[in-house]
Structures are given as structure tokens and as C-alpha cells.
Amino acid sequence: MRDCCGLLTLKNEPVPLKGISVQLKVQGFVADVCSTLSYENSESSPVEAVFVFPMEEDSSVYDFHAEIGGVKIQAEIREKQEARDTYDDALSSGQQAFLLEESDESRDVFRLSVGSLPAGQKATVCLSYVTELAVEADGALRYCLPAILNPRYTPAGAQSLTTPVSGASGGPVPYSLSFSAHLASPSGVAQVKSNCDLTPLEYLGDDKTQAQVSLSPGHKFDRDVELLVYYSHPHQPTAIVEGGLASATPGSLMGDPLVMVSLYPEFPAAASTPQSSCGEFIFLVDRSGSMDCPMSNMESGPMRIESARDTLLLLLKSLPLGCFFNIYGFGSHFEAFFPESVEYTQQTMDSALGKVKGMGADFGGTEILEPLKDIYSKACRPGHPRQLFVFTDGEVGNTKDVINEVKKHAGTHRCFTFGIGEGASTALIKGMARAGSGHPEFITGKDRMQPKVMQSLRFALQPAVNNIVLNWDVPAGLEVVPVSETPKVLFRGHRSILYAQLKGKFDESAVGRASLQYSLGDEPHKTEIGFKLQPDKNTGLTTHRLAARTLICSLEEGGSVEGEGGDKEKVKEKVVKISTEARVISTHTAFIAVNKDLNQAVQGPLIQRNMRPQMMACSFMRSSPQSLPMMMMSGGGFGASAYNPPMVMRQCAQMSNTAVFQCSETGPEPDKEDPMLTLISLQKADGSWELNESLVSVFEKKEQEAISKMPAEVSDKAVWATVLALLWLHGFKAELKEEWEFLAMKALSWVKAQAGASLKLCLEAGNSLLGCKVEPQTLDL
């Protein structure tokens, strides 16, 4: 049997998908994406091609059509089971049909079925979607084109769309990718970064408000394509009014104008600086076998579990004295470091650090629901708000159950989530954070986990924002009906996007105003923006589609229908109604296209071909992977019990419900120990350091030399050691300040209380010893 890799047919032949072309248009903070998939059946019999692929969970898919033999076939959106029946009926009668549906188990997985593609026939399938772009810590807008679909671990007794077949081979995908992006913003496009090679950024005018860029030729599509777009003035509040669809019913969501408002609440700098020692911090860390994969689909770089361990070290050193904490590890089972949360002291910190060092990816599968239930079963501590930090590669099959569990307890905690590595489920990571009024982050490729985690810790330590009210000021006769919910939580510099329907008649030359009011402690604050009521002519129906998706998601995540409460059937009816009117896909609907112009039935037995995007590897074997035939699939759509398709992976098999990982014993060469992490590991819980050989070796000095340079006025070696550690961080690791800022604040507070007037003497002597020039004002002296 010859060596094969990628996507295979029953005869180990390449599957019919030949190429993918993606065109991205970014307008402000919204992306409009058109993906074209090209198929060719080179076999002697008709085929049905089934392609399962990932997509950002908040994407609003609004168009789907196919072209075959020069004929364009436009899809209709229907209730999901009705669409499936139409598809099956078309295939059984020899017609060509195309079906696009969202997974029942997770909103970030889609399935595309191309039916009855005749021998020798070519076809293209186009799908379009819009999505809001996330804001990164440095102000960049992040767009991700997922190439990786990780196997989602599914608890015993359940079926998963993404369960792999043991021994599946891996390697380059047999289809090509072309990708181009057009970027536009009134504030100007400053730069674009990517984890992939790009062509030079080309500006389309002297004002730099428009630009374009493409993937460099030869991209293998073996990892997610991530684009970071930087604007010259990124945090400007904006408001867009979009006219309704002329053919839609007046008064309906699609028939009326909509307004989309983007606000960036800003708090005073003092209010955003952590001061409180209150809080209960619970860290829930994935220890399943998949955490032993590299951070990216490359041979070099740290393993996911290694990055998680380093991040826990940083978090434990950054916690304030007087708070409470606990750490859970989870997989097929879970373990807590302590029976319940403990007070943060030197003893409990040392105990936790010892256990962190021994944490491995050795807990089997990924069952996150049970540890969540255990955490929520413990009573909250009065005066210590609960903050939950979840670290996972997001490979679970019961995503909706997990999100619902977080939502049930949203009133007692905030949930911050971190998707580790390529292929992490955006539905899980974003859904848990949204349900728990927290903030999601994704760490992929060469990203350092620490700065993103510390940003979330900064959010968690901010004073509580309450009394959040959204007010609209519009001309008389105009009614504003909110489509999206008023945000339950606000963070400094965190964007809030709000949608509202405009009912009634109004003068398009008039203006409106939206204001977000809130209280921070006893201080009232307001963020507002004025906007013209004249509809923007360049947005098409983008705002309506995003608003429809927002409303659908709210209903699917436990919302209720006015006058009907949370009745599931009534909620489903409402979702189907909104989805079909807005032509936006949902869990309960699907796009269906049938070629009714075909005058005769397709002849020959229909063969099914299953296709997948590249799968994340757990190890990189030196020997050639063995080929594996693709399996036949039977039965209906997502969630059908007979459906157990294969995955394409690199020697990483997750079998049955026990998650047995077969990984190479030879991983990447271990990196030299990071001196900054060494220094951090030596810090005491109160913020101080002891003067010893381990510490001074970080400075590349000898202990006796450090002692000899200590000012005579200083009697406490710990004061001298702490000043040296602070100077070294400021002098040599200033570019990583966002990672060590909290532990440095704790250290500075301690040393000021101990050193008194001798602190400036320590500063001068320390600069001389270490060879740096840290100014007194840098240390707030």
C-alpha cells in the first residue's frame, strides 16, 4: 500500500475538492468573507462529496450558491430537517443538490454536502458570511481563517461529528488556498501582521484609508490563517445606520432601518489599577492528552501543557495577599489542588507551585462539565468575588451543555477563557466567556500566553462596574427597539457592540445619540456617540445580518419569546422565522440548492467521499504515515448516530471514548530555562525576594559580589534583593512589562514599607551593580 497523506477516497485517491479561494473585505471592525470551493470528479462514477470544516462561531452565513456546467444554482434557507429531506429526495431521483448546515453540537463546525457530481464534472460552491472582528490587547483587529479542526472529545454515550478513526494519516492537504484581503477604515490602515507569509501591503490612496494584501504564493494551508489589522486610531466609537430591505415587511427586523453602535468605555487609570486584595481565583486547566501537542502545527515551540504551567507560575506570583485561590486539572477525570479554595499565603503558594511543576497532559479525554459542576457546588466566599479562569484547547463535543452550565451560575462569578493552540473551538471559548460575563482569548502559533492571561487578570481585578444603562436620544416619532442585550459587564478598553431597530418615520437629515452609562464605585461615567440617521449606502445588509445572528444566538442560548417564555418549540419557531427572513443560517435551519435545470438524472451508482481540513498533530513522527481508507457514511445530517467519519491527523489517534493518544517520545529540544521565569519563581508571596545564589545568577553575578555592593545603611538583605529584582525587570525586561507588572507592584509595595529612606541608596547601588539606568520615577519614587 503506497504512502498517502491528507484527504483520501476509498481507493486512497485524492478527494474531489481541488481548491479554496477566500476574499476578505474588512470595513472598520466588520469582515465580509466570500469563500469559493472548487470540486472536480475525476472518477468514473457520480460522487457525493461531504466536507466538514471549522468557522468562527459568531459568523453570520448569509449566502450560498453553486455553479455547475455554467449554471448558477441559488440556495434557499429552510428549516433544517426539511432541507435535509429535500436534499435526500433530490439525490434519490438522480438530481444534483447542495446542502450547507451548522452542527447541532457546536456553532463553529459546518458541513457541506455536494451531491450527484457526475463523472468528469466540475463544480464550484460559494458561501459568504459576515463577522465582527475581535480586538486584541494591543488594539489590533483579529481575523482568523480556521484550517484546523481538532477532534472534539465526546463523553461516553454521545456521538460527535469530529470523532477520528485510529491511525488516520496526516500531511499536506491536497487542495490549494488563495487568499486576498481588502481593508478600509476612515482612521487609516497602519499595518497588517500575520502568522503566514504575505505580499507587501499595498495602499490604494495617499490617505491610507484603503489597502490590500494577499497570502504569498505556495501557502500550504497547514495552519490557521491569522490576520492582525492595525488602524491609526483604533478605539474611536462609531455608529452606522443601515436602511431596511425594500422587499421585506415594514416593521420586521429586515424591513426597518438598524443602527449598529460600537463603544469603547474608558475608566480613569487609577480605577483600572488593581488595588484590592479581595477575590476568589479558580484556575481550571485542561490536562487531556491533546494538551501534549505543540502550540502550533510546527515542529518547534513549546507544548500546550508547558505554556499552561509557565502561565500558572506567573498567575500565582501575581495574586494579591489576602485573596483565595484553587487550581483544578481536568481530563477524563478531575483533581483539585485543595478540597476548597484556600487563602493565598507563602505556604499555600509553595504547595500549589510544587503541584504545578508535576502537571502533565495525562488525564485522558476532555470532560470539562463535571469539574465545572464541582466548582459551582462550592459556596462563594462573602466579600471575595469568584473569578474562573479556564485553559483548554477547546476539544469537547458537548459544547452547548458546558456553556449552559456556566450561564446557570453567571450571577455568582465571572468566567475568563483561553483557547490554546490552533483549532480550539471558538464556540466553546467565546460561549463560556459570554455566558460568564468574562473575556475570551486565543493563543496560537508564536503567541505568548502570559500577556493575554495577564490582561484578563487585570480585567478580573478591576473594580466592579454596575448600574449599566443604555439610553437613546432620537427625534420625536422614532422608536428605538434594542436587538442586542445591554452588556452585563464592562472592561477598560473593551469594545461593546450594540444593535437596535429604528421604528417609525424620521427625517434622514436628523441626528441621534446613544449613551452607555455606568457606575464605577461611587463614580458615575458615560460613553456616548452621536450619529446621523441617514442610512449608509455602502454597507449592503451587513448590519441586519449581524443583528439577526446576535438575536438568533441569544435565543439559542436560553432566550425566551415574548409571551411564550422559554418554551423550546416556540423558541425554535422564532429562530427559524428570523433565520429564513434574514437568510442567515442557524442551528435549526440549513441552505439547500437543487439543480432543477438538469433534464436527465445522473447515471451510475453514487459514491460518497468524506473530506476534512488539516488536523492538528500531537507529534511529528519521522517515519512515513500509513495510509487509511476513508469510511462510508450513512444517515442524516449532524448528530446522526450512524455518522462516524474519519479525521486526518498526524499519528495522533483518539479512540472510542477513552482518548488514547499515541504520541512520539521524541519531541522538540527543550529550551534553555527562561531567566525571567527563574526570577519570578523565586519571589515570595508577599512580593519580596531573598538574596541567594539562585537569584544573583539571573543577574549573571556572584552572591558575594552582590553582598559587597549592598549599601551599609541597609540591614535587610531581602530589601536589597527585591530592589535588584525590580531593577533587573525594568532595566532588561521592560518589553515584557505587561507580564510582570502585577508581581512588581506587589514587590514595590513591600519594599517601600521595609526600606524607608534607604530605598534611593539601593536604587543607585543597584543600577551600578547591574549596569542599567532605571530612573527613580520608573519605580514611582
Side-chain angles (χ1 to χ4, degrees):
M1 192 179 292
R2 66 181 177 87
D3 290 337
C4 294
C5 58
L7 311 176
L8 310 173
T9 69
L10 288 167
K11 299 179 181 179
N12 289 331
E13 298 294 337
V15 295
L17 182 61
K18 299 300 181 184
I20 299 177
S21 172
V22 178
Q23 292 180 313
L24 168 68
K25 293 181 180 179
V26 176
Q27 180 73 41
F29 55 86
V30 173
D32 195 326
V33 187
C34 178
S35 296
T36 302
L37 294 83
S38 301
Y39 295 85
E40 181 179 358
N41 180 13
S42 57
E43 300 187 43
S44 57
S45 299
V47 297
E48 179 189 16
V50 179
F51 184 45
V52 178
F53 58 97
M55 187 180 290
E56 286 283 330
E57 68 99 26
D58 46 8
S59 299
S60 179
V61 181
Y62 66 87
D63 185 64
F64 176 56
H65 67 267
E67 291 187 18
I68 185 167
V71 177
K72 180 178 179 180
I73 310 162
Q74 185 66 49
E76 301 174 355
I77 194 163
R78 297 184 188 175
E79 190 276 327
K80 182 178 282 186
Q81 191 56 54
E82 179 187 347
R84 288 173 177 171
D85 292 343
T86 301
Y87 179 80
D88 291 340
D89 290 344
L91 261 61
S92 63
S93 62
Q95 290 182 297
Q96 296 165 345
F98 305 83
L99 179 68
L100 177 67
E101 50 187 323
E102 180 185 300
S103 167
D104 291 333
E105 62 194 34
S106 184
R107 282 205 299 260
D108 64 342
V109 181
F110 282 74
R111 176 177 156 196
L112 171 62
S113 303
V114 179
S116 293
L117 190 60
Q121 183 74 64
K122 295 181 180 180
T124 59
V125 174
C126 301
L127 62 96
S128 300
Y129 64 92
V130 289
T131 186
E132 301 165 358
L133 297 180
V135 181
E136 296 290 283
D138 61 358
L141 294 175
R142 176 181 180 267
Y143 169 75
C144 181
L145 177 65
I148 307 298
L149 178 59
N150 282 334
R152 307 286 166 86
Y153 181 83
T154 306
Q159 292 291 324
S160 173
L161 170 70
T162 58
T163 304
V165 171
S166 137
S169 60
V173 292
Y175 47 83
S176 62
L177 170 71
S178 64
F179 176 91
S180 63
H182 180 276
L183 316 169
S185 171
S187 63
V189 180
Q191 63 174 323
V192 176
K193 296 180 181 179
S194 178
N195 61 332
C196 305
D197 292 334
L198 299 175
T199 60
L201 184 66
E202 179 184 352
Y203 289 107
L204 304 181
D206 293 338
D207 59 1
K208 295 186 177 181
T209 57
Q210 295 191 60
Q212 60 187 22
V213 70
S214 303
L215 274 181
S216 296
H219 180 73
K220 297 178 180 179
F221 206 21
D222 56 353
R223 58 191 180 277
D224 292 352
V225 177
E226 186 178 74
L227 216 61
L228 297 175
V229 181
Y230 294 82
Y231 293 146
S232 301
H233 306 285
H235 286 191
Q236 298 300 312
T238 60
I240 297 173
V241 175
E242 183 178 88
L245 187 63
S247 59
T249 305
S252 67
L253 181 68
M254 298 303 291
D256 283 341
L258 290 183
V259 59
M260 174 172 62
V261 175
S262 173
L263 298 171
Y264 291 87
E266 286 292 342
F267 308 150
S272 64
T273 302
Q275 302 288 344
S276 174
S277 61
C278 299
E280 179 191 22
F281 300 88
I282 301 177
F283 306 108
L284 181 58
V285 183
D286 192 340
R287 293 185 59 179
S288 64
S290 57
M291 287 289 286
D292 206 27
C293 297
M295 288 291 294
S296 67
N297 196 12
M298 312 293 286
E299 290 202 31
S300 61
M303 295 297 178
R304 299 174 185 177
I305 193 66
E306 293 173 4
S307 291
R309 284 197 299 262
D310 290 346
T311 302
L312 281 174
L313 165 66
L314 187 60
L315 282 166
L316 285 172
K317 296 294 185 175
S318 300
L319 292 179
L321 279 171
C323 73
F324 288 78
F325 78 101
N326 203 352
I327 299 175
Y328 281 71
F330 72 92
S332 298
H333 62 286
F334 68 89
E335 292 178 2
F337 281 17
F338 307 102
E340 59 183 23
S341 296
V342 294
E343 186 175 355
Y344 180 72
T345 64
Q346 185 65 44
Q347 181 180 359
T348 57
M349 185 192 76
D350 287 342
S351 173
L353 286 173
K355 295 176 181 179
V356 165
K357 290 178 181 177
M359 289 179 67
D362 51 5
F363 274 22
T366 312
E367 293 197 30
I368 191 173
L369 191 57
E370 292 308 312
L372 280 176
K373 290 180 178 179
D374 187 75
I375 291 169
Y376 295 142
S377 71
K378 308 285 176 65
C380 294
R381 293 182 175 274
H384 290 273
R386 177 172 288 174
Q387 316 281 358
L388 175 63
F389 288 68
V390 180
F391 301 84
T392 178
D393 51 18
E395 302 176 4
V396 302
N398 57 342
T399 299
K400 292 184 178 179
D401 293 337
V402 172
I403 293 172
N404 287 336
E405 187 67 24
V406 175
K407 191 167 188 176
K408 277 197 302 185
H409 300 274
T412 60
H413 81 304
R414 286 193 293 185
C415 180
F416 299 88
T417 54
F418 305 89
I420 304 172
E422 293 174 339
S425 168
T426 60
L428 180 74
I429 302 304
K430 291 183 178 181
M432 288 181 70
R434 185 168 56 243
S437 298
H439 182 70
E441 289 282 7
F442 293 88
I443 302 103
T444 61
K446 296 180 181 179
D447 286 351
R448 284 177 65 85
M449 187 185 299
Q450 290 86 344
K452 295 192 174 186
V453 173
M454 298 315 290
Q455 173 177 261
S456 289
L457 180 60
R458 187 174 290 108
F459 288 158
L461 289 170
Q462 283 179 10
V465 177
N466 50 40
N467 302 324
I468 302 173
V469 179
L470 176 64
N471 290 317
W472 298 90
D473 182 12
V474 294
L478 184 62
E479 180 187 4
V480 179
V481 180
V483 175
S484 52
E485 298 178 358
T486 301
K488 296 182 177 67
V489 64
L490 296 175
F491 300 116
R492 178 181 171 86
H494 182 65
R495 183 184 64 198
S496 295
I497 298 178
L498 309 162
Y499 299 93
Q501 189 173 347
L502 302 178
K503 289 180 172 288
K505 295 183 179 181
F506 56 90
D507 183 353
E508 291 187 355
S509 64
V511 295
R513 182 167 293 275
S515 64
L516 197 61
Q517 297 177 322
Y518 49 93
S519 298
L520 189 63
D522 296 328
E523 291 283 329
H525 294 272
K526 179 190 292 187
T527 299
E528 60 182 358
I529 183 175
F531 54 91
K532 294 181 179 179
L533 292 174
Q534 182 177 10
D536 191 309
K537 304 295 184 183
N538 301 316
T539 61
L541 289 171
T542 297
T543 300
H544 283 77
R545 289 161 180 155
L546 290 171
R549 180 65 172 176
T550 299
L551 187 54
I552 288 169
C553 291
S554 176
L555 289 167
E556 290 178 342
E557 291 179 354
S560 60
V561 178
E562 186 176 354
E564 301 290 347
D567 182 273
K568 288 186 177 181
E569 281 303 312
K570 295 296 182 182
V571 169
K572 178 183 175 181
E573 288 178 14
K574 181 70 172 178
V575 168
V576 171
K577 184 175 186 293
I578 296 170
S579 177
T580 51
E581 288 180 354
R583 283 184 55 82
V584 169
I585 204 167
S586 72
T587 302
H588 300 297
T589 54
F591 276 108
I592 174 68
V594 177
N595 187 2
K596 299 177 181 178
D597 294 334
L598 194 64
N599 295 324
Q600 59 182 15
V602 176
Q603 301 298 314
L606 183 63
I607 302 172
Q608 191 166 50
R609 301 288 182 250
N610 296 304
M611 289 166 283
R612 298 293 171 123
Q614 179 75 356
M615 307 318 299
M616 186 64 194
C618 261
S619 65
F620 297 84
M621 308 291 283
R622 301 302 176 191
S623 57
S624 299
Q626 296 299 309
S627 59
L628 181 79
M630 296 294 280
M631 295 179 64
M632 292 295 289
M633 182 195 81
S634 62
F638 285 130
S641 60
Y643 185 32
N644 188 26
M647 305 289 282
V648 180
M649 305 182 69
R650 279 191 178 91
Q651 299 299 322
C652 175
Q654 182 190 34
M655 294 181 272
S656 183
N657 289 309
T658 56
V660 179
F661 285 85
Q662 301 173 342
C663 295
S664 168
E665 294 182 2
T666 59
E669 290 289 327
D671 293 333
K672 184 180 178 181
E673 189 166 5
D674 186 338
M676 189 178 82
L677 287 179
T678 301
L679 179 136
I680 291 171
S681 70
L682 296 171
Q683 189 186 32
K684 300 294 184 180
D686 61 7
S688 66
W689 276 268
E690 290 183 353
L691 188 63
N692 53 39
E693 192 64 42
S694 297
L695 177 65
V696 297
S697 66
V698 173
F699 313 143
E700 298 182 348
K701 305 291 180 182
K702 296 294 183 181
E703 184 177 359
Q704 195 55 45
E705 180 184 5
I707 293 174
S708 68
K709 297 291 184 180
M710 185 174 74
E713 294 82 355
V714 178
S715 58
D716 189 347
K717 290 182 180 179
V719 170
W720 176 233
T722 303
V723 171
L724 290 177
L726 285 169
L727 289 174
W728 186 84
L729 287 171
H730 282 281
F732 300 101
K733 295 294 178 181
E735 74 280 5
L736 299 176
K737 184 179 179 180
E738 58 189 353
E739 299 183 24
W740 51 258
E741 183 179 17
F742 289 167
L743 61 91
M745 288 170 57
K746 191 163 58 170
L748 187 60
S749 177
W750 180 87
V751 82
K752 280 183 175 181
Q754 305 296 322
S758 63
L759 187 52
K760 288 190 176 180
L761 294 175
C762 290
L763 184 64
E764 294 173 4
N767 272 326
S768 175
L769 173 65
L770 299 179
C772 53
K773 296 180 180 180
V774 179
E775 299 292 334
Q777 57 266 31
T778 304
L779 294 181
D780 195 25
L781 299 180

